[in-house]
Amino acid sequence: MAVAPHDHLLEIGCGRGTAVALVAERLTTGKIVAIDRAATMARLATERNASHISAGRAEIRRAGFESADLAACHFTKIFAVNVSLFWLGAATEQIERIRDLLAPGGVFYVFGERPTSANATGNVMSTERLLRAHGFRTTRSIVARGQSRLFTCVTGTPI
């Protein structure tokens, strides 16, 4: 994602806060807000990132994406890692909310980890179609790591 020191980021579905820690290390004047609907995950992410939270570089919230209180046109980057958010509900409303939350020139990143090439390609193509249908320009990448791990990334920028 090429995190810049001044970026304002949103992570949807932060889990245990691994990505929060990696991102917050790169921030100086920027901040990452991370949400997860599961209380246990939000607690673990908060514990893992206590120093970043104290320094003002990170904020962890227990909230679902649909109901999270977030400022419009605020985030330079929004990302989700292995989150099925767009396949389990009202994708149109979710994508439109992402568009509203992105600052001008902001980018949305959808990361995934899949066991086979067919799974990875299918997921990437579905994500691209969904974003393009909602007015995003997309790029993609698939990277093999080890014998049974394929990592994918689809980026979307509102047109």
Side-chain angles (χ1 to χ4, degrees):
M1 286 191 303
V3 175
H6 60 276
D7 274 336
H8 288 271
L9 301 98
L10 171 65
E11 181 180 10
I12 302 168
C14 67
R16 293 183 162 109
T18 303
V20 174
L22 295 170
V23 167
E25 288 174 358
R26 297 171 180 248
L27 300 174
T28 54
T29 58
K31 185 175 185 174
I32 180 168
V33 175
I35 60 173
D36 202 293
R37 68 179 65 249
T40 300
M41 292 297 113
R43 178 181 54 78
L44 291 171
T46 298
E47 290 170 2
R48 170 177 264 158
N49 290 286
S51 64
H52 296 305
I53 293 167
S54 294
R57 292 185 302 268
E59 179 181 339
I60 312 292
R61 299 184 193 174
R62 180 184 175 258
F65 178 64
E66 309 78 21
S67 61
D69 182 18
L70 301 164
C73 297
H74 178 73
F75 298 101
T76 53
K77 295 174 177 142
I78 298 175
F79 69 100
V81 180
N82 287 333
V83 173
S84 57
L85 174 73
F86 312 107
W87 320 119
L88 298 177
T92 297
E93 290 84 7
Q94 295 163 347
I95 298 299
E96 290 305 316
R97 181 142 203 239
I98 287 166
R99 177 189 293 282
D100 291 342
L101 293 171
L102 281 170
V107 182
F108 177 45
Y109 298 81
V110 181
F111 296 100
E113 181 180 7
R114 301 294 177 256
T116 68
S117 175
N119 293 122
T121 302
N123 184 263
V124 164
M125 291 173 61
S126 296
T127 303
E128 285 179 319
R129 275 194 304 272
L130 177 65
L131 292 178
R132 287 179 183 159
H134 293 282
F136 281 76
R137 180 180 311 113
T138 65
T139 59
R140 72 157 93 169
S141 62
I142 299 175
V143 177
R145 300 278 184 198
Q147 294 178 347
S148 63
R149 299 178 115 186
L150 292 167
F151 293 97
T152 63
C153 179
V154 175
T155 62
T157 307
I159 297 173

